[in-house]
Amino acid sequence: MEHLARFTLNWRNKTATLVLLAILLVIPLLVSNEYYIHVLITLGLFVILSLSLNLVSGYTGQLSIGHAAFYGIGAYVTALLMLKLNVSFLLALPASGLVTAFFGLLLGLPTMRLAGDYLAIVTLGFGEIVRLVLLNWDKVTRGPMGLPGIPAPELGTYIFMSKTPFYYLVLVLALLTVLAMRRIVNSGFGLSLIAVSQDELAAEAVGINTLRCKISSFIISAFFAGVAGGFYAVYISFVSPDSFTFMDSIMVLEMVVLGGLASIPGSIIGAVVLGLVPELLRFMAEYRMLIFGALMVVIVIFKPDGFWSARKRTRNAIMKDLVARNMLDGKTVKPRGEVSESA
Amino acid sequence: MEKLLNRGVKSVKVLDIQNVTIRFGGLEAIRDVSFSADEGQLLAIIGPNGAGKTTIFNAMTGVYQPTVGQILFNGKLINGLKPNQLVTMGVARTFQNIRLFSALTVLENVMVGSQCRSREGLWGALAGGKKVAANRVKSIQQCREFIEIVGLTDYLDELATNLPYGKQRLLEIARALATGCELLLLDEPAAGMNAVEREELVALIRRISKELNKTIILIEHDINLVMNISEHIVVLDHGEKIAEGTPGEIRTNQKVIEAYLGSEDPLEQEVV
Amino acid sequence: MDMFFQQLVNGLTVGSLYALIALGYTMVYGILKIINFAHGDILMIGTFIGLVLVTKFHLAFVPALLVAMLITAIMGILVERIAYRPVRTADKLIALLSALGVSIFLVNFAQLVWGTATHPFPANIGGDPIILGEVHIGILQIWALGVSLLLMAGLHLFVNHTQMGVAMRATSYNVDYARLMGINVDNIISVTFAIGSGLAAAAGILIGVYYDAVYPVMGYSAGLKAFTAAVLGGIGSIPGAMLGGLLLGVLENEGAAYLSAGYKDAIAFALLIIILLIKPTGLMGRNEQQKV
């Protein structure tokens, strides 16, 4: 019975995933309205951004309110590499991820001494400094005028002309991010991150190098945000400091928290919902953001755990995965529901 | 290699505390304390509240640093090392006020403990593959063994926070064992346990000492428990070592009796 | 050297305004341990109220200032009741998001009512500047400094020499103990928000008059700077907020004069990060040690 239950569950999950994937793949064939595709591309970017921030703020528990800085650094690196050095997009994109990862390392260092609100303030300061540098380093960034005319990506002889190829590209990037994040959080390293977020002293006392965990999660997080930024640069073909402000950092944090901290489905749902709501409210014209702000207050009051609470996370996911692959006996695993639920 | 050699030499203590003084600002929490633990020994530190027991514990695990003096683990100076480095070397601990990872399951808590020996790391996690999976299988099996030893197998899938108090203490011990420690430090392991649980705990500590061959140092308020299981006792009072010896010697030691407020049979009164 | 003193005067002027705003952040943090991210926007609304009172109701500057402070104080109480009280027991992040929701709401409300353009603030304050050697102290600077020092002195008296003030300090020291001592914590929180918001309105109006500009997103940079000042001084500490504000104002202006005007704000943030790394609890913050 138990095996059957697990099999059906797996099967249902897999089918659902495949159906969703198929839908995502055929959307551009069914939807001709460019605006809709544009919204979907934006959602894809939001998904990458919220997943990446979730690693730091959700799993590792380090509150960051400067995530847009990584996004911005990635965008500017791609823009500058392509505009000034004629580097191809295929190289520029990973390069911007790596450069941004280095900044992730820098921002991770203060976690040596700071936590909580104080760390949040440092990330805020970092975000502002990055924006101010982009704004004032005229020679390189052209300051507030930004960098226009970033060339469209080329893959061999194929040049991205319409929105459709961008859609598929962001889909691939977002899926890769989901996959990577899943592997990371469902690993011993991922458990260590959660341990750090729960009780740093206890984590340290069982041999976890907490500083290394925190810095690593900043690095990984920055990498993905940087890649998202690189994509943004070629997609919009223009970057300016206005697109990477404190408000943008806050929006991403909101996606993570409203979606549900330390939860991958949560981050995705959060990104999609918070990305869609302002679009859906467009009919309200100038009242749109007013309603949005009020809605945010209402949501946090009534759903403080987020849309997809971390409590829904699969317990012992690492072991269950091995059991499912028949590499480990699952005799000692009790099916869900037999033991009391968390309070 | 060095470790192996050291084991052969009888004179090297597993833990050697030499003239340690710990000051916080003007306050001297520990004054010139020395004692040592031999391999496989079960040593207890007792003393009235505020005697400095937890302070010396924190110094042994790298949470505090001795202001003066040396702490040697297997002959190596460990002053100034960070807690996680000490765990890698083989020193693990439990906490007086339980510190589990409440959102993780019983198994996951123990797996976190085993991380310091796992070589998987981030890249392994990202790459996946058969080898990583095989290592995980091995590691999970070991963790399950430790859980079996402390008797929590039925709770494998339960969140740590949902365990009853006494079982949480046991989980902390399993988590410490999973680090592959040589020296296990237990900070009031019986606190908050009922009589039955205490008996089980005594049996468990004996088993860890004898079968798993761990050196154990424990702080405990329950004098009966201490007299019952420990081979050697160190008594602290007001930050100083006032006595040391076998349970029999300690029971009749005048200084110890005075330290416990001069009552007729103070050691019995300590029992809650 | 004259430039130094001129920038010192300018810095102290701006700094005293930062301090006024920082007090709101620090008092709320002291008690609720949350960063009130809507504080800057409450300031902005307060400034607009002052502007409306002067231009539409033709009030003189001082009565307009006082009435605007009062209305904004009430608004502060309302914001706390609606957006913060329901999430007080939840994770602090939740309160942060709620605050951000309020912030977005207020900015967009202001844009709907007053438009996105920048309004001048006709305060009709005239007079000759005081000239000391080469250093000019403008009449607006005197007003800004004078009003903010007066308000800070008032706050100091309130906090240290009234029963309510003592209760407030007790609550900020430990909410649970304060409740056990019979202090009505809900009331204290309301009063805290009222005072913080009132001070913010005063600061906003002075900023509006000083720069002759009022606009819906003015709360953002003012708030961020003041927040920096609060952290610099040690968040939770009232004297710290005053010190942090003045210090930030001076350093920023001297930095802009001697180093680079464009990077003026970057200097402020870099300074903030450095100070946090050296002394995480700020210049005058309380140290809290974790017990093992």
Side-chain angles (χ1 to χ4, degrees):
Chain A
M1 252 332 268
E2 202 185 297
H3 277 279
L4 186 68
R6 195 158 48 229
F7 173 77
T8 3
L9 200 74
N10 263 336
W11 180 81
R12 269 226 305 264
N13 269 342
K14 270 185 190 152
T15 321
T17 315
L18 283 176
V19 169
L20 188 68
L21 211 62
I23 293 173
L24 287 173
L25 279 172
V26 297
I27 279 177
L29 308 176
L30 304 175
V31 179
S32 51
N33 189 330
E34 290 254 296
Y35 163 71
Y36 290 135
I37 301 290
H38 168 73
V39 170
L40 287 173
I41 293 173
T42 322
L43 292 183
L45 275 174
F46 286 156
V47 166
I48 302 175
L49 288 174
S50 70
L51 279 172
S52 58
L53 179 62
N54 192 15
L55 191 72
V56 165
S57 295
Y59 285 95
T60 321
Q62 309 297 309
L63 179 55
S64 165
I65 46 179
H67 203 58
F70 294 139
Y71 186 40
I73 291 170
Y76 267 87
V77 170
T78 292
L80 289 169
L81 284 177
M82 291 179 74
L83 282 172
K84 306 231 157 151
L85 300 174
N86 286 322
V87 174
S88 87
F89 173 69
L90 275 181
L91 278 176
L93 193 68
S96 51
L98 291 176
V99 172
T100 314
F102 173 73
F103 283 94
L105 169 81
L106 287 187
L107 191 57
L109 288 174
T111 60
M112 203 180 326
R113 284 178 60 84
L114 299 171
D117 291 342
Y118 292 106
L119 179 70
I121 295 157
V122 168
T123 61
L124 181 155
F126 170 77
E128 284 299 301
I129 290 174
V130 167
R131 191 180 63 86
L132 290 165
V133 169
L134 295 179
L135 205 57
N136 286 296
W137 198 8
D138 289 336
K139 272 185 205 148
V140 177
T141 64
R142 296 190 359 122
M145 291 181 297
L147 297 168
I150 301 161
E154 293 173 31
L155 293 176
T157 53
Y158 180 75
I159 303 173
F160 283 38
M161 299 294 276
S162 71
K163 292 208 182 316
T164 310
F166 280 108
Y167 170 83
Y168 284 113
L169 179 61
V170 83
L171 183 63
V172 169
L173 292 176
L175 288 176
L176 281 175
T177 312
V178 174
L179 213 69
M181 289 298 165
R182 274 190 57 140
R183 290 213 162 166
I184 290 170
V185 303
N186 289 329
S187 74
F189 174 72
L191 287 182
S192 309
L193 297 185
I194 300 176
V196 169
S197 79
Q198 298 247 298
D199 187 336
E200 223 169 288
L201 203 110
E204 194 63 34
V206 293
I208 289 172
N209 188 336
T210 54
L211 181 62
R212 193 153 88 194
C213 280
K214 290 186 280 186
I215 292 178
S216 307
S217 75
F218 265 102
I219 293 175
I220 302 163
S221 171
F223 176 84
F224 283 100
V227 170
F231 174 87
Y232 173 85
V234 289
Y235 174 55
I236 304 291
S237 96
F238 169 69
V239 290
S240 83
D242 287 347
S243 315
F244 314 105
T245 62
F246 175 63
M247 256 347 262
D248 297 285
S249 295
I250 288 305
M251 279 298 287
V252 182
L253 181 68
E254 237 169 87
M255 292 169 187
V256 174
V257 179
L258 285 190
L261 281 168
S263 155
I264 289 177
S267 287
I268 298 173
I269 294 170
V272 170
V273 171
L274 279 172
L276 275 182
V277 168
E279 299 299 331
L280 294 176
L281 290 176
R282 244 172 226 287
F283 72 93
M284 299 201 186
E286 69 266 37
Y287 293 96
R288 178 170 79 114
M289 290 311 282
L290 187 81
I291 304 290
F292 180 70
L295 215 55
M296 247 176 79
V297 177
V298 173
I299 293 174
V300 294
I301 290 174
F302 290 102
K303 245 183 163 333
D305 261 359
F307 301 124
W308 190 283
S309 154
R311 274 189 232 144
K312 289 186 186 165
R313 95 180 245 279
T314 320
R315 296 178 183 184
N316 291 339
I318 304 177
M319 181 177 77
K320 281 171 189 163
D321 170 60
L322 294 167
V323 172
R325 286 154 73 183
N326 284 323
M327 296 180 71
L328 190 70
D329 70 284
K331 269 181 292 190
T332 45
V333 192
K334 294 195 173 186
R336 273 182 74 82
E338 203 169 290
V339 278
S340 65
E341 265 305 317
S342 61
Chain B
M1 194 62 197
E2 199 177 335
K3 228 182 200 172
L4 281 175
L5 285 175
N6 283 343
R7 273 188 189 191
V9 185
K10 256 234 152 134
S11 65
V12 173
K13 315 276 189 188
V14 171
L15 190 80
D16 200 356
I17 301 207
Q18 299 175 342
N19 308 96
V20 166
T21 296
I22 300 170
R23 273 187 220 113
F24 299 109
L27 182 83
E28 216 164 43
I30 292 289
R31 190 178 319 126
D32 197 25
V33 168
S34 302
F35 63 89
S36 62
D38 295 325
E39 193 180 330
Q41 197 175 38
L42 215 164
L43 183 143
I45 303 173
I46 62 168
N49 278 329
K53 301 178 302 262
T54 297
T55 306
I56 194 96
F57 235 54
N58 282 332
M60 292 180 216
T61 51
V63 179
Y64 300 154
Q65 299 305 332
T67 319
V68 182
Q70 296 186 318
I71 302 178
L72 302 174
F73 176 67
N74 279 330
K76 268 181 256 165
L77 189 69
I78 58 170
N79 291 24
L81 291 182
K82 286 204 283 186
N84 77 67
Q85 292 171 309
L86 281 170
V87 179
T88 326
M89 288 174 74
V91 185
R93 74 174 291 178
T94 64
F95 291 91
Q96 185 178 337
N97 37 355
I98 304 172
R99 303 187 86 129
L100 289 166
F101 307 119
S102 51
L104 296 180
T105 66
V106 166
L107 175 66
E108 285 165 339
N109 266 277
V110 179
M111 284 170 75
V112 171
S114 72
Q115 276 311 299
C116 64
R117 286 179 301 129
S118 138
R119 282 160 198 278
E120 181 180 299
L122 174 62
W123 298 118
L126 279 174
K130 276 261 183 279
K131 210 172 150 193
V132 168
N135 276 333
R136 283 182 182 178
V137 167
K138 219 170 91 189
S139 154
I140 289 175
Q141 276 165 344
Q142 278 171 349
C143 290
R144 278 195 201 162
E145 277 167 35
F146 289 120
I147 292 169
E148 178 84 53
I149 289 172
V150 300
L152 289 178
T153 302
D154 282 350
Y155 299 87
L156 212 61
D157 219 18
E158 189 55 86
L159 295 185
T161 178
N162 294 346
L163 289 184
Y165 195 75
K167 301 217 184 306
Q168 293 196 359
R169 290 218 171 271
L170 299 178
L171 178 54
E172 263 206 340
I173 295 177
R175 187 179 68 179
L177 288 174
T179 62
C181 61
E182 190 179 333
L183 172 64
L184 180 62
L185 306 172
L186 304 172
D187 195 350
E188 296 199 26
M193 283 188 167
N194 62 37
V196 181
E197 287 172 328
R198 274 171 202 232
E199 255 174 60
E200 285 168 2
L201 179 75
V202 168
L204 174 66
I205 294 176
R206 282 223 174 90
R207 214 180 140 194
I208 294 169
S209 168
K210 297 287 163 296
E211 288 177 32
L212 302 181
N213 241 332
K214 309 277 181 205
T215 309
I216 298 175
I217 300 181
L218 66 102
I219 295 177
E220 188 48 66
H221 266 301
D222 184 338
I223 299 294
N224 275 345
L225 190 145
V226 169
M227 293 296 173
N228 189 357
I229 60 172
S230 40
E231 297 157 3
H232 194 82
I233 297 174
V234 172
V235 190
L236 295 182
D237 187 28
H238 292 107
E240 285 182 89
K241 185 175 84 175
I242 57 168
E244 181 173 10
T246 63
E249 288 163 5
I250 295 299
R251 200 180 276 281
T252 54
N253 186 303
Q254 200 54 41
K255 269 192 178 169
V256 177
I257 294 174
E258 274 167 24
Y260 279 84
L261 286 171
S263 58
E264 284 296 300
D265 196 353
L267 298 183
E268 295 305 318
Q269 281 198 351
E270 261 292 305
V271 183
V272 187
Chain C
M1 219 45 207
D2 285 334
M3 179 163 94
F4 177 81
F5 283 112
Q6 185 64 55
Q7 291 306 329
L8 185 68
V9 169
N10 297 350
L12 285 175
T13 309
V14 184
S16 65
L17 298 173
Y18 288 162
L20 271 190
I21 314 167
L23 284 168
Y25 281 112
T26 232
M27 289 195 302
V28 167
Y29 191 91
I31 293 178
L32 291 178
K33 303 285 177 286
I34 61 164
I35 300 166
N36 178 11
F37 265 107
H39 192 57
D41 306 295
I42 291 175
L43 168 146
M44 174 272 299
I45 298 282
T47 314
F48 268 110
I49 293 172
L51 180 66
V52 168
L53 290 173
V54 168
T55 55
K56 296 279 184 333
F57 292 84
H58 306 292
L59 258 62
F61 179 68
V62 174
L65 182 79
L66 292 175
V67 175
M69 282 175 70
L70 186 71
I71 299 175
T72 315
I74 295 168
M75 195 180 76
I77 295 176
L78 283 178
V79 166
E80 191 271 327
R81 286 275 158 95
I82 295 169
Y84 296 157
R85 193 163 295 186
V87 293
R88 203 187 287 165
T89 50
D91 193 299
K92 275 196 286 173
L93 260 179
I94 298 300
L96 181 77
L97 288 197
S98 194
L100 291 164
V102 173
S103 165
I104 295 175
F105 179 87
L106 291 179
V107 170
N108 285 279
F109 175 79
Q111 285 178 345
L112 276 177
V113 177
W114 295 294
T116 49
T118 301
H119 303 255
F121 202 128
N124 299 320
I125 297 171
D128 294 323
I130 298 172
I131 299 171
L132 299 167
E134 294 287 306
V135 178
H136 287 233
I137 308 176
I139 193 78
L140 291 175
Q141 289 186 312
I142 294 170
W143 269 90
L145 262 169
V147 171
S148 46
L149 290 179
L150 207 65
L151 288 171
M152 281 192 267
L155 180 72
H156 183 80
L157 288 178
F158 172 78
V159 168
N160 289 301
H161 298 281
T162 66
Q163 206 175 357
M164 181 72 99
V166 173
M168 196 184 239
R169 271 163 47 214
T171 311
S172 115
Y173 192 75
N174 188 315
V175 175
D176 295 327
Y177 292 173
R179 192 175 279 123
L180 289 172
M181 298 308 290
I183 293 171
N184 185 333
V185 171
D186 282 347
N187 278 351
I188 294 294
I189 291 173
S190 290
V191 171
T192 306
F193 269 84
I195 293 176
S197 306
L199 293 179
I205 291 171
L206 292 170
I207 289 172
V209 173
Y210 187 53
Y211 293 106
D212 201 19
V214 182
Y215 50 97
V217 289
M218 67 182 284
Y220 169 69
S221 70
L224 213 55
K225 289 293 187 50
F227 177 59
T228 307
V231 177
L232 202 63
I235 196 153
S237 152
I238 290 178
M242 299 179 187
L243 178 73
L246 293 174
L247 201 63
L248 183 70
V250 170
L251 287 173
E252 193 182 84
N253 273 275
E254 299 290 354
Y258 287 98
L259 299 170
S260 149
Y263 284 109
K264 185 171 116 180
D265 292 359
I267 294 168
F269 290 114
L271 187 79
L272 173 73
I273 293 178
I274 292 165
I275 294 219
L276 277 177
L277 286 174
I278 297 169
K279 194 167 186 303
T281 48
L283 296 173
M284 300 180 77
R286 271 203 302 268
N287 266 319
E288 276 168 42
Q289 247 214 324
Q290 200 188 12
K291 193 167 162 26
V292 183

